[in-house]
């Protein structure tokens, strides 16, 4: 009986364990953050479309308060904040910043870097923001969109990366680039026309971050129920809406009401 030939160890594939490095910090807003989550109504329509999508002629096309409250991601009752931001949005920002960096690519950064969590707490005081926008249809139809905006904001985060390929300095520099040239949220730098959602990276001990993080869940709960106006344009638009609704007697699509200031 022939004995088996000894195995040549040099032919075996050797895979080393990844060196995963974790960095904790906080993103501090350098420009206001516009939140724009998909509304519950839109999700329901996608999940189970109605037979007739058009509103009845007697109903309003817009309800600013409903749109404002539907534009945010919300955390559970035991979370430190009411408002949240998707961790995937921060990762996409980092990946996009890699397009302008040397010796790397968007796909490579997507494989080597990730942000822990699904939804991260967002600190800051929410306000109502109304502005003209162009829709995504073929005619780029002009419309008024109402969203939640945070003039000053902070997002604590934990970022992980493969330490065999990247180092902390490179990752933080890339995140800093993302904060300036890409941003997060609506009307961000990446889209070209806006400069909202810009941020800087700081340690959790940063005094500015600590001041913003005092505006936690209680402040946000009140801000969602009775929001203040982000600017005079929003205040003027909302006041006109309320006055015109009362004059025309148009049906409202929500029971929530707020008197114009």
């Amino acid at each position: 009986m022939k004995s088996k030939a000894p195995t040549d160890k040099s032919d075996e594939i050797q895979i080393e364990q990844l060196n995963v490095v974790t960095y904790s910090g906080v993103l501090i807003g350098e420009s206001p953050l516009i939140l724009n989550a998909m509304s519950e109504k839109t999700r329901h329509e996608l999940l189970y479309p109605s037979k007739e999508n058009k509103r009845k002629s007697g109903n309003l096309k817009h309800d600013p308060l409903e749109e404002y409250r539907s534009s945010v991601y919300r955390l559970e009752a035991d979370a430190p904040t009411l408002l949240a931001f998707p961790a995937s949005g921060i990762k996409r920002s980092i990946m996009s910043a890699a397009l302008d960096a040397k010796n790397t690519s968007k796909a490579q950064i997507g494989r080597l870097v990730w942000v822990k969590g699904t939804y991260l707490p967002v600190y800051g005081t929410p306000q109502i923001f109304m502005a003209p926008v162009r829709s995504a249809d073929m005619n780029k139809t002009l419309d008024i969109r109402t969203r939640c905006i945070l003039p000053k904001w902070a997002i604590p985060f934990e970022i992980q990366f493969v330490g065999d390929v990247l180092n902390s300095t490179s990752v933080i520099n890339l995140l800093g680039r993302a904060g300036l040239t890409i941003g997060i949220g609506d009307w961000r730098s990446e889209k070209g026309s806006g400069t909202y959602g810009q941020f800087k990276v700081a340690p959790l001990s940063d005094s500015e971050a600590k001041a913003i993080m005092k505006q936690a869940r209680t402040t946000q709960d009140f801000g969602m129920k009775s929001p203040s106006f982000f600017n005079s344009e929003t205040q003027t638009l909302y006041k006109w809406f309320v006055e015109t609704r009362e004059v025309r007697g148009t049906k409202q699509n929500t029971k929530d009401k707020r008197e114009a200031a």
Side-chain angles (χ1 to χ4, degrees):
M1 183 176 178
K2 294 182 179 180
S3 60
K4 294 182 179 180
T7 303
D8 186 356
K9 296 294 185 179
S10 63
D11 292 337
E12 291 184 357
I13 297 176
Q14 302 292 329
I15 300 177
E16 297 179 356
Q17 184 176 1
L18 285 178
N19 174 29
V20 178
V21 180
T22 301
Y23 175 86
S24 299
V26 59
L27 306 182
I28 301 176
E30 293 280 71
S31 61
L33 173 64
I34 302 175
L35 302 177
N36 191 23
M38 183 181 291
S39 69
E40 200 71 19
K41 183 175 182 180
T42 302
R43 296 185 190 198
H44 291 171
E45 187 63 29
L46 291 172
L47 184 64
Y48 201 112
S50 60
K51 294 182 179 179
E52 184 180 4
N53 292 328
K54 294 182 179 180
R55 295 180 183 269
K56 295 181 180 180
S57 58
N59 287 351
L60 292 171
K61 177 182 178 183
H62 289 293
D63 184 335
L65 273 182
E66 180 185 17
E67 292 172 12
Y68 165 71
R69 292 168 181 156
S70 298
S71 69
V72 303
Y73 292 102
R74 298 169 186 258
L75 294 176
E76 297 78 8
D78 59 346
T81 66
L82 171 68
L83 305 181
F85 191 84
S88 58
I90 297 175
K91 177 174 178 175
R92 284 195 298 269
S93 180
I94 299 170
M95 291 170 60
S96 295
L99 293 171
D100 299 321
K102 295 180 180 179
N103 303 322
T104 189
S105 68
K106 182 176 182 179
Q108 184 183 36
I109 293 301
R111 294 191 301 269
L112 300 177
V113 179
W114 56 96
V115 180
K116 290 190 67 177
T118 304
Y119 292 103
L120 306 181
V122 181
Y123 291 85
T125 302
Q127 295 181 332
I128 189 169
F129 177 45
M130 302 174 68
V133 297
R134 291 285 179 180
S135 301
D137 58 10
M138 184 180 298
N139 297 323
K140 301 294 182 182
T141 307
L142 189 62
D143 201 356
I144 298 293
R145 186 176 299 168
T146 304
R147 291 159 288 182
C148 173
I149 191 168
L150 299 168
K152 294 184 180 295
W153 55 276
I155 302 177
F157 70 91
E158 276 192 359
I159 190 170
Q160 293 185 314
F161 57 92
V162 179
D164 301 326
V165 185
L166 298 168
N167 58 52
S168 298
T169 301
S170 295
V171 173
I172 299 309
N173 286 344
L174 186 60
L175 185 56
R177 281 174 173 254
L180 182 64
T181 64
I182 306 299
I184 58 175
D186 263 13
W187 218 348
R188 58 186 180 272
S189 301
E190 181 183 19
K191 299 300 183 179
S193 62
T195 56
Y196 290 84
Q198 290 180 313
F199 59 83
K200 62 183 178 182
V201 185
L204 290 169
S205 59
D206 184 87
S207 59
E208 183 181 359
K210 285 183 176 181
I212 296 173
M213 291 169 68
K214 290 181 180 179
Q215 304 167 43
R217 193 175 188 102
T218 303
T219 301
Q220 293 180 349
D221 281 332
F222 181 81
M224 295 308 294
K225 292 176 182 176
S226 302
S228 58
F229 300 106
F230 174 66
N231 54 21
S232 59
E233 180 183 11
T234 297
Q235 185 173 7
T236 300
L237 280 171
Y238 189 84
K239 183 178 180 180
W240 178 88
F241 170 83
V242 171
E243 292 175 348
T244 304
R245 181 185 63 202
E246 292 176 354
V247 170
R248 297 179 183 178
T250 314
K251 293 180 182 179
Q252 194 174 7
N253 291 306
T254 179
K255 294 180 181 180
D256 295 324
K257 294 183 179 181
R258 181 183 189 277
E259 295 300 327

